[in-house]
C-alpha cells in the first residue's frame, strides 16, 4: 500500500520522497470485431457494380451502344409506378441492408469475449465466455452434494443450475452461491455479471422433477 509522506525540512533532515497512488486504469471496453467477411463482401459488390457501370458509361461516351441491361433497367424505372410490389421489395431490402451495415459499424461485436479489468493502462485482456462458464462449473462441482452443474455465462448475467443428490438444498445452494461469487471475483472481469443460482434434485425414475 502506498501512502503520501511529507518531506522533512528541519536541520539534518533528509529528503523523503513523496509516494503517491498510481493513476487509476481506464475502464475496460468491449473488444471490436474485425468483421472481415461483411467488409469484403460489400467491397466486392461495390467494386463490381462501380466498375461495370463505369465501363458502360465510358462505352457510351465512345459512341457505342449502352448495355442492354442498363437500357432495360432505365426504361423499367422510368415506367414502373412507385407502389409496385417489386419497387417496394427492393426499397425494403435496401433499407434492411443499410440498417444492418449501420449496426455493424456502431456495435463492437465479439459477444463471446468478456473484457477483464485493466490493472495496467497498456495491457488489455479478455476472457472467453465458455472458459468463464467452465471455471464456474468446476468451482461448483467441488461443493459437497453436487452431482452435476450447468452454467450459462452472459455479459450481464451468470446462471448456475446445479443438481444435488444429497444434503439439504438450502445448504447446497448457499455453498454453490458462495463459491460461484468467489469464482466470479477471481475471473477479474471488468463488469462482473449478476449471479443467479438454482439447485434441484435429480429426476426420479418414471417421472420428472
Amino acid at each position: 500500500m502506498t501512502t503520501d509522506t511529507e518531506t522533512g525540512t528541519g536541520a539534518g533532515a533528509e529528503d523523503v520522497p513523496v509516494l503517491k497512488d498510481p493513476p487509476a486504469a481506464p475502464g475496460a471496453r468491449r473488444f471490436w470485431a474485425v468483421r472481415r467477411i461483411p467488409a469484403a463482401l460489400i467491397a466486392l459488390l461495390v467494386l463490381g457494380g462501380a466498375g461495370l457501370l463505369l465501363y458502360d458509361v465510358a462505352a457510351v461516351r465512345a459512341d457505342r451502344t449502352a448495355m442492354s441491361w442498363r437500357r432495360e433497367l432505365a426504361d423499367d424505372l422510368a415506367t414502373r409506378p412507385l407502389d409496385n410490389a417489386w419497387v417496394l421489395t427492393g426499397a425494403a431490402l435496401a433499407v434492411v441492408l443499410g440498417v444492418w451495415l449501420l449496426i455493424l459499424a456502431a456495435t463492437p461485436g465479439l459477444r463471446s469475449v468478456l473484457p477483464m479489468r485493466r490493472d495496467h493502462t497498456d495491457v488489455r485482456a479478455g476472457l472467453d465466455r465458455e472458459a468463464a462458464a467452465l471455471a464456474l462449473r468446476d468451482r461448483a462441482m467441488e461443493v459437497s452434494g453436487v452431482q452435476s452443474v450447468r452454467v450459462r455465462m452472459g455479459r450481464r448475467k451468470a446462471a448456475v443450475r446445479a443438481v444435488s443428490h444429497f444434503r439439504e438444498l438450502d445448504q447446497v445452494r448457499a455453498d454453490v452461491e458462495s463459491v460461484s461469487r468467489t469464482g466470479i471475483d477471481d475471473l477479474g472481469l471488468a463488469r462482473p455479471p449478476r449471479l443467479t443460482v438454482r439447485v434441484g434434485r435429480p429426476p426420479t425414475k418414471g417421472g420428472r422433477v
Side-chain angles (χ1 to χ4, degrees):
M1 178 182 296
T2 58
T3 56
D4 293 342
T5 306
E6 295 183 356
T7 303
T9 56
E14 297 180 356
D15 291 340
V16 180
V18 178
L19 303 178
K20 296 182 179 181
D21 293 331
R29 298 181 179 179
R30 290 177 56 188
F31 291 86
W32 282 77
V34 180
R35 296 189 173 102
R36 293 187 178 92
I37 295 179
L41 292 177
I42 297 300
L44 289 176
L45 290 176
V46 173
L47 181 61
L52 187 61
L53 183 61
L54 181 61
Y55 172 80
D56 192 49
V57 171
V60 173
R61 292 293 183 179
D63 297 332
R64 295 184 179 181
T65 306
M67 293 183 180
S68 60
W69 65 267
R70 193 161 74 93
R71 295 197 308 268
E72 294 176 359
L73 179 61
D75 294 340
D76 192 50
L77 292 177
T79 57
R80 190 180 296 271
L82 295 180
D83 58 351
N84 184 268
W86 288 105
V87 175
L88 296 178
T89 301
L93 291 177
V95 170
V96 171
L97 179 61
V99 172
W100 178 59
L101 293 177
L102 289 176
I103 292 175
L104 290 181
T107 55
L110 288 182
R111 300 176 61 87
S112 62
V113 179
L114 302 175
M116 302 179 68
R117 289 192 298 265
R118 297 188 66 179
D119 297 330
H120 303 280
T121 57
D122 56 345
V123 177
R124 291 191 65 193
L127 181 63
D128 187 79
R129 287 199 302 181
E130 293 184 0
L134 183 60
L136 294 184
R137 175 186 175 277
D138 292 342
R139 292 263 188 156
M141 286 296 297
E142 296 176 357
V143 175
S144 177
V146 171
Q147 183 179 16
S148 63
V149 180
R150 288 191 303 174
V151 179
R152 296 185 60 183
M153 174 66 70
R155 293 189 297 114
R156 296 182 177 88
K157 181 179 178 181
V160 180
R161 300 186 62 179
V163 175
S164 175
H165 56 293
F166 70 93
R167 295 182 65 196
E168 294 294 332
L169 292 182
D170 292 339
Q171 298 177 0
V172 176
R173 184 182 297 108
D175 292 344
V176 171
E177 183 175 357
S178 176
V179 299
S180 298
R181 292 190 183 279
T182 302
I184 291 177
D185 294 338
D186 293 342
L187 292 177
L189 300 177
R191 299 177 181 88
R194 182 169 54 90
L195 177 65
T196 59
V197 178
R198 295 180 61 184
V199 180
R201 293 298 186 191
T204 58
K205 293 183 179 180
R208 296 181 179 179
V209 176

